[in-house]
Amino acid sequence: MSDSVYRVTELVGTSTESWEAAARAAIETASSSLRDLRVAEVVKLDMTIEDGKIARFRARLNLSFKYEQE
């Protein structure tokens, strides 16, 4: 097995439905421009509030992907 190098980047996904949908939106968006996604770690969940009600769920993720070797 060869050695590998991974990059970890932070993403924030949002949804009006749930934290799970927010995380899914972040991964699906990232997968459209990044390849070889490996691990997503949820590091923070929060929400925005408007007029005393939940407006948006937010999921902050650390996403790792593998660097391509030449």
Side-chain angles (χ1 to χ4, degrees), residues 1-66:
M1 183 173 166
S2 64
D3 294 337
S4 299
V5 175
Y6 296 87
R7 163 125 182 138
V8 177
T9 190
E10 186 175 73
L11 304 173
V12 177
T14 64
S15 170
T16 57
E17 297 172 23
S18 67
W19 284 304
E20 182 179 349
R24 186 180 305 110
I27 297 300
E28 289 174 357
T29 300
S31 70
S32 69
S33 61
L34 299 172
R35 291 190 307 270
D36 216 358
L37 303 180
R38 295 301 176 129
V39 175
E41 173 188 17
V42 176
V43 295
K44 184 176 181 181
L45 299 172
D46 63 21
M47 59 187 77
T48 59
I49 300 169
E50 294 175 7
D51 298 322
K53 296 183 180 181
I54 297 170
R56 291 228 179 322
F57 294 90
R58 300 188 320 172
R60 185 172 299 191
L61 312 170
N62 284 339
L63 176 67
S64 69
F65 56 95
K66 188 175 178 181

